[in-house]
Amino acid sequence: MTAQTVQQGELVTVIGLEVHVQLETETKIFCGCSTGDADEPNEHVCPVCLGLPGALPVVNEAAVEAAVKIGKAIDAEIPQETRFHRKNYYYPDLPKNFQITQYDEPICQSGELEVRVEGERRPIEIERAHLEEDPGSLQHVGGGGGIDSAEYTLIDYNRAGTPLMEIVTAPDFRSPAEVRAFLAELEEVLEYLGVFDAERDGSLRVDANLSIVEAAEADENGELSTEALESANRTEVKNISSHKGAEKALAYEETRQKNAIQRGRVVEQETRHWDESRGITVSMRSKAEEKDYRYFEEADIPPLQVAHWREEIEIPELPRARRERFREEYALDEEAASKLTSTKQVADFYEDLASEFDPDLAATWVADELLGELNYRDMAITELEDRLDEVARLVELVATDEITAKNAKEIVLRTMLDEGAAPDAIVEAEGLGKTDEGEVQAAVEAAIADNPDAVADYAEGDDGAINFLVGQVMQATGGSADPGTVNQLLRAELDD
């Protein structure tokens, strides 16, 4: 538990998370059904993932490998042996009426993940991370589509059996904003490991346990007591599927519980559903306790010997380490390093460019120009995976002074993204090749001759007049001259 300093009598928000991550494998965790997108509901199903009598599960090795990678990334203990259990409960999207999961011998134990909160980094304890199967999905129809108002519900079992990693944190969060920061950091790590696809619908889902604790028993150091944490009724909030959604759902629930306490009401220990369309949580059922699930060992799957996998399986350089290396190796500031390591694809592309061109130029073009234009279009760099060589060619045109940086960004890059054309073809079609020195000099002399008022203003000390003259030269050259060079030439003529 991370130490939290509080004042006696203070109402403190305490949050713990259960993060369900869909692992990127070709087939489901206990059968050979595809995890890919299906054209129709209930298309990727078989007797195993439908829980039909006599069907036997077989563990997907790729799912276990992904779990070990996650364990290494969060510095968790990986035991010699791990095993699966049955978690018994009835819900329409769970065809067997039990879920194959892990109970007291999970594959990852006692890890942590550092997050940046209000400019400072601190560790969030991860109590466990275990493998399990995903249930099917429910589609609520009619009545606004809400779980509490739908006319009926349809069930799609295509998702049933998709491998999940459930990551369970300690109650270390003290605000919804901290939760959002943690989820962003976790998603970065998972993406770097190559075990997770953030673009896939429902690939990360969060159940959050939130309590409001009155810190009447804060100790002499101002730390929240274990007794205070354990005595508070907690609410579980389900159906959270994004960083922003987590922050909004928990902010609403935090306010709801504090209002209830301040009015002298008891906060019920229950499970609530986050209705994103209405921005509220609604009661689903009383919160189940561990004993209600009647865990017992899954007899059809023998224990797995996994300790040796920790040494055999390698993981790539993780985001925080790469961010720190970028700052040191390429002399980047914190903001640029963060942008350039936001995804593994972005970081890899930057390093490719930095090996060929000036690292500062490469950083500007990736962190500011490329990512800025992609964000504006709600695109990801993965959508340019087959065209990154064209972006590199554009940077080369700028680096070798063949076109201006302004035209490269405002005309070439934007046309590349909007129309799919290649940079050289755009430069030729738009006539963007740089004007030769003689033509630029002639345009400078013409601008001075044609604009005596601006020349007089400059002579009287109005340095801003030079910008007007630069604009005249750029207009005359069709934007193909370098503004910095034009500025220097103008000053040389005017100061002579």
Side-chain angles (χ1 to χ4, degrees):
M1 173 68 194
T2 303
Q4 303 291 323
T5 302
V6 298
Q7 299 295 321
Q8 289 193 8
E10 180 183 351
L11 288 181
V12 181
T13 301
V14 178
I15 304 170
L17 301 181
E18 299 169 8
V19 185
H20 300 84
V21 177
Q22 280 191 353
L23 301 178
E24 275 294 289
T25 58
E26 293 183 1
T27 57
K28 296 182 180 182
I29 188 168
F30 299 124
C31 67
C33 290
S34 171
T35 56
D37 295 332
D39 295 327
E40 299 291 338
N42 300 307
E43 179 181 342
H44 296 164
V45 295
C46 73
V48 174
C49 52
L50 288 178
L52 299 184
L56 295 176
V58 177
V59 177
N60 184 339
E61 183 176 347
V64 179
E65 182 177 337
V68 173
K69 287 182 178 180
I70 293 173
K72 293 186 70 171
I74 61 174
D75 197 25
E77 297 176 10
I78 297 175
Q80 180 68 38
E81 183 177 279
T82 185
R83 67 177 69 235
F84 288 92
H85 288 73
R86 292 186 182 186
K87 180 180 181 180
N88 295 274
Y89 64 97
Y90 172 75
Y91 206 63
D93 57 8
L94 195 68
K96 295 191 293 289
N97 287 343
F98 65 84
Q99 180 188 38
I100 300 179
T101 181
Q102 295 189 293
Y103 180 45
D104 55 354
E105 298 179 69
I107 192 167
C108 301
Q109 305 166 18
S110 301
E112 69 174 29
L113 183 67
E114 277 197 6
V115 297
R116 180 175 293 278
V117 180
E118 296 180 352
E120 296 184 1
R121 299 198 70 87
R122 69 176 180 87
I124 299 296
E125 180 186 348
I126 295 175
E127 294 181 343
R128 56 184 284 140
H130 61 262
L131 283 166
E132 63 186 23
E133 59 181 338
D134 209 352
S137 54
L138 303 179
Q139 180 180 346
H140 305 295
V141 182
I147 191 171
D148 60 336
S149 60
E151 295 175 13
Y152 58 92
T153 298
L154 300 174
I155 308 174
D156 181 3
Y157 289 116
N158 281 327
R159 195 179 73 184
T162 297
L164 280 186
M165 192 74 170
E166 181 175 334
I167 300 169
V168 182
T169 77
D172 279 1
F173 304 97
R174 295 297 175 264
S175 74
E178 290 182 5
V179 169
R180 183 172 183 173
F182 172 83
L183 293 175
E185 185 86 19
L186 176 63
E187 191 169 291
E188 275 191 7
V189 169
L190 295 171
E191 188 270 336
Y192 266 67
L193 293 174
V195 301
F196 168 77
D197 180 6
E199 301 300 316
R200 187 171 181 174
D201 186 42
S203 57
L204 185 145
R205 305 190 301 278
V206 180
D207 296 342
N209 292 288
L210 185 147
S211 305
I212 303 298
V213 179
E214 184 173 356
E217 299 181 19
D219 66 19
E220 59 184 9
N221 297 317
E223 294 180 10
L224 200 60
S225 69
T226 302
E227 293 76 17
L229 286 173
E230 293 177 348
S231 64
N233 278 354
R234 68 182 187 273
T235 296
E236 182 179 33
V237 182
K238 289 182 169 290
N239 193 44
I240 302 172
S241 57
S242 68
H243 311 166
K244 184 178 179 181
E247 186 174 23
K248 289 174 65 177
L250 294 173
Y252 173 87
E253 185 61 20
E254 177 183 48
T255 300
R256 186 190 72 83
Q257 290 193 28
K258 283 186 176 180
N259 286 343
I261 291 170
Q262 289 166 354
R263 292 170 185 170
R265 300 175 183 171
V266 175
V267 175
E268 298 293 335
Q269 184 153 309
E270 61 179 341
T271 297
R272 297 180 69 87
H273 174 92
W274 167 240
D275 190 325
E276 191 162 5
S277 63
R278 291 190 286 171
I280 64 172
T281 64
V282 295
S283 180
M284 292 175 63
R285 59 181 181 270
S286 60
K287 182 167 174 57
E289 298 181 7
E290 189 175 283
K291 63 182 181 181
D292 297 320
Y293 294 121
R294 305 185 313 282
Y295 285 97
F296 61 86
E297 290 183 16
E298 172 55 76
D300 293 329
I301 302 177
L304 302 179
Q305 306 298 318
V306 292
H308 64 284
W309 285 35
R310 183 180 182 93
E311 306 304 323
E312 296 173 0
I313 293 176
E314 297 183 355
I315 62 174
E317 184 181 31
L318 295 175
R320 185 162 63 90
R322 201 168 196 183
R323 200 170 294 131
E324 292 172 356
R325 179 170 65 81
F326 276 18
R327 293 187 65 183
E328 181 177 342
E329 187 173 332
Y330 300 114
L332 300 174
D333 62 32
E334 185 173 334
E335 182 180 3
S338 294
K339 287 181 179 179
L340 292 170
T341 55
S342 57
T343 71
K344 189 173 184 297
Q345 291 89 343
V346 169
D348 288 346
F349 181 52
Y350 168 69
E351 290 222 84
D352 288 343
L353 284 182
S355 67
E356 296 186 38
F357 309 109
D358 177 69
D360 287 339
L361 177 68
T364 296
W365 269 91
V366 178
D368 297 332
E369 314 300 5
L370 179 59
L371 292 184
E373 294 295 328
L374 288 174
N375 289 338
Y376 177 77
R377 291 163 177 77
D378 197 24
M379 295 173 64
I381 197 169
T382 51
E383 296 177 60
L384 294 179
E385 196 167 357
D386 297 329
R387 300 184 61 206
L388 290 178
D389 58 329
E390 295 181 2
V391 180
R393 171 58 181 158
L394 175 58
V395 175
E396 181 183 11
L397 291 173
V398 176
T400 55
D401 214 29
E402 295 179 53
I403 60 174
T404 67
K406 184 175 186 292
N407 284 341
K409 173 188 176 181
E410 296 183 1
I411 299 176
V412 183
L413 178 59
R414 291 173 182 174
T415 304
M416 287 172 63
L417 296 176
D418 293 338
E419 301 178 12
D424 288 293
I426 298 168
V427 170
E428 183 177 355
E430 298 290 339
L432 299 178
K434 272 196 173 179
T435 307
D436 64 39
E437 292 182 9
E439 291 181 35
V440 174
Q441 183 64 40
V444 166
E445 293 171 0
I448 293 173
D450 294 344
N451 297 279
D453 290 344
V455 173
D457 290 342
Y458 179 77
E460 293 175 4
D462 182 3
D463 200 60
I466 202 78
N467 295 330
F468 172 78
L469 294 171
V470 170
Q472 297 301 301
V473 176
M474 296 303 294
Q475 185 176 0
T477 59
S480 59
D482 180 72
T485 301
V486 171
N487 191 301
Q488 292 174 4
L489 292 173
L490 282 167
R491 290 181 186 277
E493 292 288 331
L494 294 172
D495 295 338
D496 190 3

